[in-house]
Amino acid sequence: MCMRFDLHVHTVISPCSRLKFSEILGHARSMGLEGVCITDHGTMEVCRHLKEGVQEDGLCVIFGMEYETPEGHFLLFGPFEGLPAGLSAPALLRLVGDCGGAAVAAHPCRQVAPTREYLVRKGLCRAIEVFNGRNLDAENRQTSRWCESYSLHECAGSDAHSLDELGRMVTHFSEPVRCREDLIFALNHGLCAPECRTQAGSVFGTGNAERIPQAIADFG
């Protein structure tokens, strides 16, 4: 089963975004998405507005957040509804591991708010957003070079703040993802690969797709 998720989506809950809940639910499936992760800045308030899980049309909606630290931003998935602000990156990543969650370094090589490389070099963060829909091409290329140096789980997300950005870059899962727990397992075990899309919707680049079958054999 091929499932394509946009792992990085901001709604009107984030002050910087104008993307409405109704737009996500009304258009995601027609954009070729099987899932969307809501990752508003510093909050999981989306739980007050939407139902998490598989919707009537088959779209899987999963709640997370984008957490900001001085050493980078991270997409978090897990039991983090009450997570306090102000944690350092190492403390945050240790907490995520202790809670059985997943953390993805968001736009790690963006000029503004980059991820400190030592966090991946020391294995504190194993999953990174190789392609980000709001990055410059050079920033995405620099992130790709990290994958040549470190053993990382590669993802992609649109970082959508409006409907026209939704689904621009996605993460491909070859195992079913139907809930938050499924997503966490897949991210933590590398059962994923990034995809970039042209404006016509075709894939022009995939990351570690060739490694997915072996990862499934190891952990499935």
Side-chain angles (χ1 to χ4, degrees):
M1 174 180 288
C2 173
M3 299 192 74
R4 289 179 174 86
F5 271 69
D6 192 334
L7 291 185
H8 192 166
V9 176
H10 296 281
T11 74
V12 290
I13 294 172
S14 295
C16 54
S17 175
R18 63 179 186 273
L19 183 55
K20 300 176 182 178
F21 309 124
S22 58
E23 292 178 315
I24 296 170
L25 297 180
H27 295 275
R29 290 293 284 152
S30 64
M31 294 175 170
L33 295 173
E34 282 74 42
V36 171
C37 295
I38 307 299
T39 55
D40 285 305
H41 289 284
T43 182
M44 294 176 69
E45 185 186 340
V46 63
C47 65
R48 300 181 181 180
H49 303 275
L50 294 178
K51 178 189 76 172
E52 188 172 24
V54 180
Q55 310 296 301
E56 291 184 1
D57 65 352
L59 179 72
C60 183
V61 176
I62 294 176
F63 302 157
M65 74 164 75
E66 181 174 351
Y67 192 100
E68 301 179 14
T69 80
E71 298 173 290
H73 293 194
F74 300 89
L75 307 179
L76 304 184
F77 303 100
F80 303 130
E81 285 81 355
L83 191 64
L87 295 174
S88 68
L92 173 69
L93 295 169
R94 285 193 292 267
L95 176 63
V96 169
D98 291 344
C99 292
V104 178
H107 42 73
C109 292
R110 183 178 290 178
Q111 185 173 1
V112 177
T115 301
R116 293 288 298 276
E117 190 170 352
Y118 85 89
L119 296 169
V120 297
R121 184 174 65 247
K122 292 187 174 182
L124 294 176
C125 185
R126 294 290 307 282
I128 67 168
E129 192 177 54
V130 178
F131 300 135
N132 177 285
R134 286 185 146 228
N135 270 4
L136 299 174
D137 288 343
E139 292 169 332
N140 283 334
R141 286 196 300 271
Q142 185 176 351
T143 305
S144 296
R145 287 195 285 271
W146 281 15
C147 300
E148 300 172 4
S149 302
Y150 309 111
S151 177
L152 297 170
H153 303 157
E154 302 171 33
C155 309
S158 70
D159 201 355
H161 289 61
S162 60
L163 182 59
D164 64 301
E165 295 175 329
L166 184 66
R168 181 177 295 175
M169 296 190 178
V170 302
T171 298
H172 164 264
F173 296 95
S174 291
E175 288 285 279
V177 174
R178 298 297 186 188
C179 61
R180 198 184 304 184
E181 291 74 17
D182 288 348
L183 178 71
I184 291 169
F185 183 88
L187 290 174
N188 284 340
H189 293 92
L191 306 179
C192 52
E195 292 185 0
C196 293
R197 293 179 168 190
T198 65
Q199 290 183 345
S202 60
V203 175
F204 66 83
T206 59
N208 59 351
E210 72 281 357
R211 295 201 292 271
I212 289 181
Q214 183 58 50
I216 292 173
D218 290 342
F219 298 102

